[in-house]
Amino acid sequence: MNAVRKLDLAWVALVLLSIGGARLGGGDDQGFVIAVLVALVMAVKLLIVSRYFLELHEAHPRIRKAVYLFCYGMPILVILTTGLREPLARLTGAALT
C-alpha cells in the first residue's frame, strides 16, 4: 500500500472516530464506561495522528517517547479523573479554601 493511500485511510479513520466520539459524548449517560470508551477513542486518534501525520519514525527518540507518553498518558488521566471524581473534588476544594 502506498503512502498516499495510508494517509487517506488514516484520515477516514479519524473522521469516523470523531463522529463516534461525538455520539458517545452526546448522550446523557455520564458513567465510567462512557469515560473509558471516550479515552479509548482518544488514544486511538492520538496514535493515528502521531504515527501518520507527525512522522515520528523520523523524530529524535526523546521527542518520540514524549509524544507517545502523551498519547498513552492523557487517556489514562481521563479514566483516573472519572474514577476518582469525589476524592479529587475534595482535594481541589480543600486546596482552594
Side-chain angles (χ1 to χ4, degrees):
M1 186 180 308
N2 64 18
V4 174
R5 177 83 171 145
K6 286 181 183 179
L7 284 178
D8 290 342
L9 290 175
W11 184 256
V12 169
L14 286 172
V15 169
L16 293 175
L17 285 167
S18 296
I19 292 169
R23 293 192 69 155
L24 278 174
D28 292 333
D29 187 19
Q30 296 180 2
F32 186 72
V33 174
I34 297 296
V36 171
L37 290 174
V38 168
L40 181 65
V41 169
M42 179 193 311
V44 171
K45 286 173 65 174
L46 286 169
L47 288 173
I48 289 172
V49 168
S50 65
R51 185 168 295 147
Y52 293 105
F53 295 101
L54 296 180
E55 298 180 358
L56 284 182
H57 61 279
E58 296 179 9
H60 189 275
R62 188 177 298 163
I63 294 172
R64 191 177 323 126
K65 288 177 186 175
V67 171
Y68 282 138
L69 178 67
F70 178 80
C71 289
Y72 293 115
M74 291 309 294
I76 290 170
L77 287 176
V78 167
I79 293 169
L80 286 176
T81 54
T82 303
L84 301 172
R85 182 178 6 210
E86 296 300 322
L88 286 173
R90 283 194 305 273
L91 278 173
T92 56
L96 292 175
T97 57

